[in-house]
Every structure is written in C-alpha cells, then in structure tokens.
Amino acid sequence: ESLDDCVGCAPGSFCAGGAAQPAPCAPGSIAPSANMSACELCPIGRFAASTIECEECEAGTYAASDGLSQCTPCPYPTSSKSGDVTCSICKEGF
C-alpha cells in the first residue's frame, strides 16, 4: 500500500479508521469537517439540514431531542420561536 491508496474522508461522512471507506452520516447527524472518526448529533432545538451542518428549527416548529433530521410542527393552538425545544400556547397580543 502507498499513500495513494489512502481515501480522504470528506465533510458529511466519517471514517472508522484504517482502510475503511468513508460512510455517510446517519440522518440527524453531521460531520462538519473532513477526516472525522464519527458523526455528531445535532443538539436539541436544531436539525440536520444536511450532513455537514445543523440549523435552528424555524418558528412554529421544535426539536425536543438531539439527532433529528427535521423539526416537528407545533400542534394547534401552540407555537414556538426559532430554535425552541418545546411549543407553548400563544398569549393574546403575541
């Protein structure tokens, strides 16, 4: 084997080590930089918009647990601000 046989591990994937081929991150997880040995879960209030970055949930949606690939819409009559981890009942005038 030579260095030419080494495979780089691009952002959005992880390499378990050795000669393992890069594997894509699972939904809800990201690898923001190259040559990561594991993917990271997106934290609560955020979701994996792609395999390289987490984004805040939009207003009206929430992410109550980490590792989500999409945010959950708030049920009527509740709402949320962007990045919220729960929904709450809207107070009149807000």
Side-chain angles (χ1 to χ4, degrees), residues 25-40:
C25 291
S29 64
I30 61 164
S33 53
N35 301 318
M36 292 185 69
S37 61
C39 297
E40 303 168 348

Side-chain angles (χ1 to χ4, degrees), residues 63-82:
S65 60
D66 55 10
L68 296 180
S69 59
Q70 62 184 20
C71 299
T72 305
C74 291
Y76 180 82
T78 63
S79 192
S80 67
K81 297 183 196 132
S82 66

Side-chain angles (χ1 to χ4, degrees), residues 41-62:
L41 294 177
C42 288
I44 60 173
R46 301 174 76 83
F47 72 104
S50 66
T51 55
I52 58 172
E53 89 178 308
C54 297
E55 291 185 8
E56 270 193 352
C57 292
E58 295 180 2
T61 67
Y62 70 103

